[in-house]
Amino acid sequence: DQQVKQNSPSLSVQEGRISILNCDYTNSMFDYFLWYKKYPAEGPTFLISISSIKDKNEDGRFTVFLNKSAKHLSLHIVPSQPGDSAVYFCAASAVGTYKYIFGTGTRLKVLA
Amino acid sequence: DAGITQSPRHKVTETGTPVTLRCHQTENHRYMYWYRQDPGHGLRLIHYSYGVKDTDKGEVSDGYSVSRSKTEDFLLTLESATSSQTSVYFCAISRDRGSYEQYFGPGTRLTVT
């Protein structure tokens, strides 16, 4: 049972435009969410996080939106740059647990 | 960058042989994790540790064991490697549970022939 789902395996966006990556979850006990970026042959690197008490968190070009009623979060990248081309994972953690559940990832390709 | 190293970075082994992967951190973080990454599955948690000698199972723990005798080291052992354990293995650390992000090591590519 996949508790965290990234239904789009890949996404292509033109440089300078907005990239929107989506993530859905099923567990209502999740209270903390993160996005990671991964380049080939490297470990994932932390991008941005959001607590369930917020509905938006912004860090430079990256904004994460959380819709708790829909159990949906999204990562917006504006403007997209070729260096943003990578695999993006969302992850969720439940109250009182030590661990994160990851989605299957979305491969973003930013076209120059 | 968080101080996390993994060794070896690449390994090829035969079915049935034991394999140990090592994760070493210099951050003195309490929590350590082992994940595997496979196409179509993303990152799946194998085992994690919440302190020295304190470990627990993740989603895909069958065929794996772990040990943590020091804060800085977390070992993952495949007692008898199988081809289904061919994967890329990542170690991660975090300062505290829940609301703190995890930092990942560079990964170990393991091939079981």
Side-chain angles (χ1 to χ4, degrees), chain A residues 23-37:
Chain A
C23 181
D24 297 297
Y25 62 95
T26 58
N27 189 341
S28 58
M29 296 300 291
F30 287 150
D31 69 334
Y32 200 71
F33 304 87
L34 305 93
W35 284 94
Y36 285 84
K37 177 170 71 174

Side-chain angles (χ1 to χ4, degrees), chain B residues 17-36:
Chain B
T17 60
V19 176
T20 295
L21 309 182
R22 180 182 184 235
C23 177
H24 179 78
Q25 59 142 331
T26 57
E27 305 296 320
N28 201 36
H29 281 5
R30 180 180 173 188
Y31 296 87
M32 299 186 75
Y33 307 79
W34 277 108
Y35 292 87
R36 59 179 290 175

